[in-house]
Amino acid sequence: MDRWRWRSVLVLAASAVYLYGFPSATIAYGTVVLFHTIVGILLTVLLLPMLMKLLSTGDATARLGWLLLTAGAVLGVALTYVGTPNRLKGWLFAHIGLCVVGSLLVAASWLASRGWLGSTALERVLGFAGLVLLATGVATGSWWYREIAWKNTHRIVNPRMPASSMDGEGDGPQGKFFPSSAQTKDGGYIPAKYFMQSDACQRCHADIYRQWYSSAHHFSSFNNQWYRKSIEYMQDVAGVRSSKWCAGCHDPALLFSGLFDKPIKEIVDRPEAKAGLSCLMCHSIVQVKSTMGQGDFVLEYPKLHELAASENPLVRTLHDFLVRVNPEPHRRTFMKPFMRTQTAEFCASCHKVHLDVPVNRYRWVRGLNEYDNWQASGVSGQGARSFYYPATSMMCADCHMPAVRSKDDGNVEGFVHSHRFPGANTAVPTANRDQSQLELSQKFLQDKQLSVDIFAISPAGGETLEAASGRSIRPELSTSFAVGEEADTSLPKGPAGQARPVTAPLGRVNAAVRRGDDVRVDVVVRTRKVGHFFPGGTIDAFDVWLELQATDENGRTLFWSGKVEDDGKGPVEKGAHFYRSLLIDAHGHPINKRNAWANRATVYVHLIPPGAADTAHYHVHIPENAGDKITLHARLNYRKFMWSNTQFAFGGAEDPSQPHGAVTPDYDDRKWLFKAADPGTISGDMKIAPNLPIITVAEDFKTLNVLGRKAAAPPPEVTLAKEDWTRWNDYGIGLFLQGDLKGAAAAFQRVADVDPQNPDGWVNIGRALVQEGDTGGAKVVLEKALALKPELARANFFYARILKEEGKYDDAIAGLKRVLAQYPRDRVVHNEVGRILFLQKRYADAVTEFNETLAIDPEDLQAHYNLMLCYSGLGDERRATEHQQRYLRFKADEASQAVTGPYRQAHPEDNNERQPIHEHVSVTLGAPAAKRSTAANAYGTSRPGGEQ
């Protein structure tokens, strides 16, 4: 019996080391789990009756050891019954600790009884110490392999050299899934049913499953009518193969099984087409190859999942028992370290995309991009030059997967990350009649994500906008997406605008206007909790706009910009202040059918960076019959899809009464109408176009006094209060980003006047003066900021720019290094250091610096351009050519702006919105507008490309 007992302890110890240090979802590992469990139970059964005997014989060390082993064994048996989920992890480690210490003491007693630890007390102490060191070494090695090696193996690391064309991405043109960059680990297909078995997950994760079931991820595929229509249209016009570009992140059950090789109209009613992004899509990603997005990940099909999804109750029970007793292999299969430690990079694999020749038959064009602007901003904690540094940095999951209470086995201290993925998608729950998900989306949008501030008024007219609007083309006009803090080229250059005599801040001053006068009303929209550009996502498809309405105390509407036609159910009036990307195809038709692959030019991109602001201007006429009080009401409105896109998705058809227009992947000249569609062609329960809710994200009210026409013109009035410093700062940020550098500097001066000890005012004045070219003036104010806060990163950055202009290269580099010490992942700062090193002809050092940029973003245009120059300077023409190829690939097509000329002439409202500084006027008030027809009726006027 003693020999059996000793051997059992030895075998259990050896198996425990293996189970702890080398967890894996394999049959061999599962067999050892069962072996360890069975032997442990048998040992416990034998130990308990013998415990009194063991405690009454032998030395004290052995007695204590057997007592601890028995306690550990009993705890182990209990854990076999209740399992070892996260909430019981402490008990698992208690079991391990008791057994380790007990085994050490029993082993020491056994070795000492045979004289193997020495004959003297000192020798026995040293022998025991050696035994402890051996056990510590084994434990440390097992821990390192389990924790450190595992995490190091599963990190997202960018390649230093991206592909020179899309053909070098993913598996290339011969790949099964191309032009998506997605790959499978073995290069083969994955059975479609694998992605359709999320219900197997709910046995242990019931709450998470219910959350996911309502989420936009679940409805990413052809169970979503907007997506269905866009892919059907894309395949009709551009072919099936190019639509795989979408499928990598939308249709895993179809793409990875090979079903997507067929036209979707042939398989749209199959259950695989409605699987969406299931649990096993995201959680089967074993590698993310870069932050370039485009589905740049590798999926692995774990064969043992067939046990979990088995219809055999015995097999399923055995699987669940193994997962309950030791969930680590299951966790490692479906929860790679980068999903927690590099959440943003993981999400970027689908929430950042680009288009290229295999998709658009044109060239490289940036699509949606939530990652780069987050990474470069203060929200991520990685952007040095941000206007604001938040108290704590945030990742995607902090907003879009907040902790919610749950009793699921995977909970941590009673919480799980919500798999409803709260966001701005109000369309899908509306179409699904899912009220709880709709309310969640509405609550998310209205959770102080942004603020609206009717900030200032000033006399209208007299200003000239040529300086701003006549500058060279804004960088974002050569891409389909905005350019923000991730690229220094977004900043305005040269003198522009002039400081206006404003009355501000409204609500603090007693503002008045005079009947018969025209005034400019300035409204500031600020991103507060948004970690990326607002709006985010597919910004060519939304209705997001700022509405301003003026009414008097008699209820008469005096001004209205941003009105929605058809009593709030139709399109937004064309002259509104929109937040979107307006794209056109090669023939100048708007990209309004989710046909981004036909994009050939950008009319305008108007987004708000994270931690920044936009200042909108309204030209308001005060009528003679206005009352004595005017209430201004500004609302930031959000409708998930623009009216025309919803009508197209649920009833768009070519107008048979019009001549058939030419259609190619570059343009679509056909004329469209919106009518009732065959219910069989519409996914979901709702068979007619839904009236999507318009959500008020933020709003503000301000009141103006009205003076008689003969009264003296109200003089500008400014009241300074310390608590208003952010209002002035936000106002200035909005002016700065649109190129009104004089106005911005004046607003930032108010910040400094309110609180001279606040360095932000001085920094932002300097920021504006640097862009205007006044380095002397900028140096003075930046020195004030640095005197207040010497390590302030943004102040050091702009001061270093001045030193660079003065030719003080070493001092400039020293200042920039201080910035990088705090923000080592700000790639604009790396590029600035590299550029100075290049000017010093320190080409090798410059190469090192620019490579740091590419480690953060392999597509960084400035880094590739400068590396081309550096390698030319080093005489390495091969590498210079490599970077030249990447530079030319990622460089914007500036010639594309020629396409916008005829469109802008035909659409003056959009041409107005394109101008960096512009004003909005009221819709015509009085006679009611003619109502638009609904989706159930034929759209009255056919227009090319579905243009409204």
Side-chain angles (χ1 to χ4, degrees), residues 39-308:
V39 174
I41 292 173
L42 289 175
L43 180 62
T44 305
V45 170
L46 293 174
L47 276 179
L48 288 175
M50 301 176 60
L51 184 60
M52 295 308 297
K53 178 182 177 182
L54 291 171
L55 293 179
S56 61
T57 60
D59 57 24
T61 302
R63 292 197 297 271
L64 178 58
W66 284 115
L67 181 63
L68 293 177
L69 268 174
T70 304
V74 170
L75 182 55
V77 172
L79 291 174
T80 300
Y81 177 74
V82 299
T84 59
N86 275 320
R87 67 179 184 276
L88 299 179
K89 188 176 289 187
W91 290 108
L92 172 63
F93 285 112
H95 161 69
I96 294 172
L98 288 169
C99 292
V100 168
V101 176
S103 298
L104 274 175
L105 293 175
V106 168
S109 174
W110 186 80
L111 292 171
S113 69
R114 284 157 177 75
W116 293 356
L117 290 184
S119 56
T120 66
L122 178 59
E123 289 175 339
R124 286 194 292 271
V125 168
L126 292 176
F128 181 73
L131 193 63
V132 171
L133 285 175
L134 176 62
T136 302
V138 171
T140 302
S142 300
W143 171 84
W144 184 90
Y145 191 85
R146 175 189 173 101
E147 301 293 339
I148 306 303
W150 169 248
K151 291 177 181 177
N152 289 342
T153 303
H154 294 89
R155 285 193 54 78
I156 300 172
V157 179
N158 277 317
R160 291 297 175 94
M161 184 65 73
S164 60
S165 73
M166 187 174 263
D167 288 351
E169 298 171 354
D171 289 325
Q174 306 308 314
K176 295 178 174 66
F177 317 120
F178 186 80
S180 171
S181 295
Q183 297 171 283
T184 57
K185 192 169 183 180
D186 62 1
Y189 289 119
I190 296 176
K193 68 175 184 179
Y194 174 68
F195 299 103
M196 301 168 63
Q197 294 171 327
S198 295
D199 57 340
C201 303
Q202 69 172 319
R203 296 204 300 272
C204 295
H205 304 288
D207 288 343
I208 288 176
Y209 176 82
R210 284 192 294 269
Q211 294 160 6
W212 164 84
Y213 196 85
S214 290
S215 74
H217 277 195
H218 180 199
F219 295 94
S220 69
S221 193
F222 298 97
N223 48 6
N224 176 335
Q225 180 58 25
W226 287 272
Y227 179 74
R228 172 179 175 172
K229 184 71 172 185
S230 69
I231 298 300
E232 290 176 344
Y233 176 76
M234 182 179 189
Q235 291 189 352
D236 287 345
V237 175
V240 172
R241 183 173 175 82
S242 61
S243 66
K244 289 184 178 182
W245 173 75
C246 309
C249 287
H250 281 266
D251 314 294
L254 296 178
L255 180 68
F256 296 109
S257 67
L259 285 172
F260 212 89
D261 291 331
K262 299 179 180 180
I264 191 58
K265 289 182 178 179
E266 296 180 12
I267 57 174
V268 72
D269 292 323
R270 294 181 57 151
E272 295 91 339
K274 298 174 173 59
L277 284 178
S278 66
C279 311
L280 297 170
M281 168 59 185
C282 296
H283 287 282
S284 294
I285 293 176
V286 295
Q287 181 187 0
V288 176
K289 296 173 289 180
S290 74
T291 60
M292 292 185 285
Q294 201 69 21
D296 198 16
F297 51 72
V298 178
L299 287 176
E300 182 178 31
Y301 173 51
K303 293 286 290 183
L304 291 185
H305 170 74
E306 295 175 7
L307 300 179

Side-chain angles (χ1 to χ4, degrees), residues 387 729 732 736 741-753 758-774 777-782 784-785 798 802:
F387 291 104
N729 203 45
F736 175 79
L741 301 179
K742 294 289 188 183
F748 295 142
Q749 183 63 56
R750 301 295 189 184
V751 177
D753 293 342
N758 181 352
D760 282 329
W762 304 115
V763 170
N764 287 335
I765 296 170
R767 192 190 298 247
L769 294 177
V770 166
Q771 293 306 121
E772 194 175 345
D774 183 2
K779 189 172 185 179
V780 172
V781 292
L782 288 171
K784 290 183 179 180
F798 292 110
I802 295 172

Side-chain angles (χ1 to χ4, degrees), residues 576-713:
H577 188 70
F578 287 101
Y579 295 103
R580 65 179 180 183
S581 173
L582 178 57
L583 315 173
I584 56 176
D585 68 18
H587 281 188
H589 306 309
I591 301 298
N592 57 10
K593 298 180 283 295
R594 295 300 302 117
N595 51 327
W597 37 270
N599 165 37
R600 295 297 179 267
T602 301
V603 178
Y604 66 81
V605 182
H606 193 194
L607 308 176
I608 310 177
D614 174 57
T615 301
H617 311 295
Y618 294 90
H619 191 117
V620 179
H621 175 71
I622 310 301
E624 296 287 354
N625 60 352
D628 296 330
K629 298 280 186 182
I630 292 177
T631 298
L632 299 174
H633 180 197
R635 299 195 304 172
L636 179 63
N637 296 317
Y638 188 100
R639 180 161 58 184
K640 172 60 181 176
F641 292 113
M642 55 186 169
W643 179 86
S644 62
N645 183 251
T646 295
Q647 305 307 310
F648 175 76
F650 283 80
E654 185 177 359
D655 189 345
S657 68
Q658 299 292 327
H660 179 72
V663 55
T664 76
D666 299 305
Y667 56 85
D668 187 346
D669 290 341
R670 291 176 293 178
K671 297 181 180 180
W672 296 82
L673 54 77
F674 304 146
K675 63 179 184 179
D678 177 359
T681 66
I682 297 178
S683 296
D685 296 332
M686 190 171 287
K687 301 301 181 181
I688 62 172
N691 178 29
L692 294 185
I694 295 173
I695 307 299
T696 299
V697 178
E699 60 185 335
D700 188 32
F701 295 87
K702 292 294 191 302
T703 301
L704 306 176
N705 295 316
V706 181
L707 307 178
R709 182 178 181 85
K710 296 182 179 180

